[in-house]
Amino acid sequence: MNFSRRQFNRWAGAVAAAAACSRRSFGFAEGGPGLGLNTWSLRALSQQEAIPIILQVMKQTKLHDCELLFSHVEPARFNPVFPVGLLSAPRLPPTPQQLEERKATAAALTEWRLSVPMSYFTSLRSTFEMQGLRIKAYAARLGSSEAEIDRQFLMTKALGADSILVRVPEPLTNLVAAAAEKHRMSVGLQFSDLKALQRQLAASKYFCMDPDIGDLTKAKVNALQFVQANFKSIGSIDLKDAMPGGPSVPFGDGESHMKEVLQFLKEKQVPLTAYIDCDYAGTGRSPEEVEKCVSYAREVLV
């Protein structure tokens, strides 16, 4: 996110009026925020091993809903595991050979998305439902064609989710808006550019914000002020603690104003899901760290 405090202040008041997200039409319950698990918290688990551990964590923490990460759904050959420490590791530019390999993998992934039977996703949905749990949102990695995007909405429906959470490149805004209209599905927009987000929110009544208060903090945006200014346009929210311009940290140790954000949402009776998103050092495949994060957030909401 590369915007100044002045830009944020100018933008915050305008965007609430631009967004047209109706929570009731998307099936949100009335009342204050509920907690869910963002499975990014277990991002270092491969697709083959992730689901049993996700189910275990949800049952142990008594979280009914989850935001399921794409790498926990799509075959592992398309999605290398996110290693622990990835967020702090230096990124080297890809070699020409790596670029060709990525291009081939992307083409194979598109082919898989266009051909995989929906029973693959309904089976995954059943696995959760048999445990009394729900995939409430699908955190997708967006395709680039109309056909592929349409299939991703169908996948999301088959998973039983009522929203797709995704970063939408501006050139694809109209394609995604058309798919959301066709499938009558909420799209939680993940973002790094506030001006682009404002334009996108105006493109569809099905578009809402999906802010991450930790990422806002890292960008030196006051997360509490952001939520206070825009809560009517937020469909879901990710709970992460972080330092301004710095790393993620354990819940309660940072400056994301997590306690104040949750208390504000509770006071305003905002009916959204706040997803536990722990990605500080030591997380990635640790149920114990997820439990600590859930306990912190739950105590705030008591």
Side-chain angles (χ1 to χ4, degrees), residues 95-229:
T95 65
Q97 181 180 351
Q98 288 173 326
L99 289 173
E100 286 300 314
E101 290 172 352
R102 291 179 187 180
K103 184 177 179 180
T105 299
L109 174 58
T110 295
E111 182 179 354
W112 180 85
R113 286 173 173 171
L114 294 176
S115 61
V116 62
M118 287 298 120
S119 59
Y120 174 89
F121 304 97
T122 55
S123 176
L124 187 55
R125 170 184 181 173
S126 296
T127 300
F128 279 77
E129 291 180 343
M130 285 189 294
Q131 299 293 324
L133 306 173
R134 175 171 62 163
I135 302 169
K136 184 169 175 58
Y138 180 41
R141 179 175 58 170
L142 196 65
S144 58
S145 69
E146 181 177 359
E148 189 172 0
I149 290 170
D150 186 72
R151 287 282 290 186
Q152 288 184 283
F153 274 79
L154 291 172
M155 293 172 188
T156 303
K157 281 187 171 181
L159 288 169
D162 57 26
S163 63
I164 184 169
L165 308 180
V166 68
R167 188 177 297 271
V168 179
E170 275 208 88
L172 297 180
T173 300
N174 290 337
L175 281 181
V176 177
E181 181 72 31
K182 175 182 176 180
H183 295 286
R184 300 178 61 81
M185 178 173 289
S186 171
V187 178
L189 297 173
Q190 300 167 341
F191 56 92
S192 56
D193 184 316
L194 290 172
K195 289 184 178 180
L197 175 62
Q198 180 180 357
R199 293 190 292 269
Q200 290 183 314
L201 284 170
S204 173
K205 66 180 181 180
Y206 291 97
F207 283 180
C208 300
M209 296 183 198
D210 176 42
D212 182 317
I213 62 171
D215 288 345
L216 287 169
T217 303
K218 292 177 183 181
K220 300 182 180 180
V221 172
N222 185 300
L224 177 60
Q225 292 178 3
F226 183 93
V227 171
Q228 289 172 332

Side-chain angles (χ1 to χ4, degrees), residues 38 67 190 210-214 236-240 274-275 277:
N38 182 341
E67 170 188 338
Q190 300 167 341
D210 176 42
D212 182 317
I213 62 171
S236 60
I237 194 167
D238 286 307
L239 299 178
K240 181 190 298 176
Y275 292 104
D277 180 8

Side-chain angles (χ1 to χ4, degrees), residues 14 23 44 71 79 82 116 124 143 166 187 196 205 218 234 260 270 286 294 301:
R23 291 188 183 86
S71 66
N79 297 298
F82 294 100
V116 62
L124 187 55
V166 68
V187 178
K205 66 180 181 180
K218 292 177 183 181
I234 296 175
E260 293 86 354
V270 182
S286 173
V294 174
L301 288 171

